[in-house]
Amino acid sequence: MLKPFVVNIKNLNHYFGQQSLKTQILFDINLKIKYGEVVIMTGPSGSGKTTLLSLIGGLRSSQEGSLKVLNQELHGASNDQLVQIRRHIGYIFQAHNLLEFLTARQNVQVALEIHKEISPQDARFKSEAILQDVKLHNRVNYYPHDLSGGQKQRVAIARALVSHPKLVLADEPTAALDSKTGREIVELMQRLAKQQECAILMVTHDNRILDIADRIIHMEDGRLFTGEMTSL
């Protein structure tokens, strides 16, 4: 039996503001993402990319159309249902959003605290294991202020992937990094996602990393233009 799509969006519209100030931001969005697929979304600033990412991630409620994540309809979903979906999604942002008063291992372990079935001992083991996967085994007990920008983003990747999510949403994850480090970061995301059969939807302006995508889609003025599978 074929797996359902990780993301399945049909005729999605979204608006900001009310009544006379109401402005349409997203227009008739249609998008499907498969398990294990790496999709990169490009487009100018203000075109609606981050809004779409936040809707898929259950960080805001969808208004019109169908938006299914992991076969769960998010249009009309309750706060509790959105929270449940967010447990299966990893988030990586341009600003790594690490907690400065926690070590690298503790920052990763925070992502497992919502999974009550994982004991503190197992959470510690899993956190240390994935930090080893991202080549930070010798930085496990370092605080963020003692890490480079690339190392902080590696911790953020470890945190996003430690719970084996089915979907990772990444918003400009390489924007604050030099080209070599940025390349290492996206290749690391790609490798770990393929290992876990996890889908990645990444927003980027960085043309140097487009070749890691299975498919490239483009957002312009709130409209999405979807690409075919690449031959890379």
Side-chain angles (χ1 to χ4, degrees), residues 65-97:
S66 174
L67 198 174
K68 288 184 179 178
V69 176
L70 301 172
N71 221 26
Q72 168 77 48
E73 179 60 68
L74 299 193
H75 181 216
S78 67
N79 269 343
D80 285 347
Q81 288 171 319
L82 293 177
V83 168
Q84 289 297 325
I85 282 292
R86 290 200 291 265
R87 291 181 176 180
H88 301 285
I89 300 174
Y91 303 89
I92 303 170
F93 301 102
Q94 176 180 341
H96 42 74
N97 294 341

Side-chain angles (χ1 to χ4, degrees), residues 143-202:
Y143 289 89
H145 58 77
D146 291 322
L147 300 174
S148 69
Q151 288 169 338
K152 290 175 184 175
Q153 202 62 303
R154 286 172 184 267
V155 176
I157 291 171
R159 180 182 58 191
L161 289 166
V162 68
S163 61
H164 285 232
K166 299 304 179 191
L167 173 65
V168 168
L169 301 174
D171 197 358
E172 299 281 2
T174 66
L177 304 174
D178 63 75
S179 59
K180 180 176 181 293
T181 306
R183 182 82 200 178
E184 290 172 354
I185 290 298
V186 296
E187 286 179 350
L188 182 61
M189 288 170 58
Q190 180 190 39
R191 176 172 62 81
L192 291 176
K194 294 296 184 187
Q195 285 175 4
Q196 297 184 10
E197 207 182 12
C198 157
I200 292 180
L201 176 58
M202 183 191 310

Side-chain angles (χ1 to χ4, degrees), residues 94-217:
Q94 176 180 341
H96 42 74
N97 294 341
L98 300 183
L99 297 170
E100 294 292 333
F101 55 89
L102 297 181
T103 64
R105 192 259 305 161
Q106 290 168 332
N107 264 288
V108 174
Q109 197 167 328
V110 161
L112 294 173
E113 288 181 356
I114 58 172
H115 298 272
K116 302 304 182 188
E117 72 280 6
I118 300 175
S119 71
Q121 292 84 358
D122 278 351
R124 183 181 183 120
F125 173 79
K126 288 174 182 289
S127 300
E128 291 179 354
I130 199 162
L131 283 168
Q132 185 157 347
D133 284 344
V134 300
K135 296 183 169 59
L136 286 178
H137 54 279
N138 60 343
R139 296 287 189 273
V140 168
N141 295 313
Y142 280 51
Y143 289 89
H145 58 77
D146 291 322
L147 300 174
S148 69
Q151 288 169 338
K152 290 175 184 175
Q153 202 62 303
R154 286 172 184 267
V155 176
I157 291 171
R159 180 182 58 191
L161 289 166
V162 68
S163 61
H164 285 232
K166 299 304 179 191
L167 173 65
V168 168
L169 301 174
D171 197 358
E172 299 281 2
T174 66
L177 304 174
D178 63 75
S179 59
K180 180 176 181 293
T181 306
R183 182 82 200 178
E184 290 172 354
I185 290 298
V186 296
E187 286 179 350
L188 182 61
M189 288 170 58
Q190 180 190 39
R191 176 172 62 81
L192 291 176
K194 294 296 184 187
Q195 285 175 4
Q196 297 184 10
E197 207 182 12
C198 157
I200 292 180
L201 176 58
M202 183 191 310
V203 168
T204 188
H205 285 103
D206 189 349
N207 291 332
R208 296 166 298 190
I209 63 172
L210 298 182
D211 61 301
I212 70 121
D214 295 310
R215 185 157 49 107
I216 297 169
I217 59 180

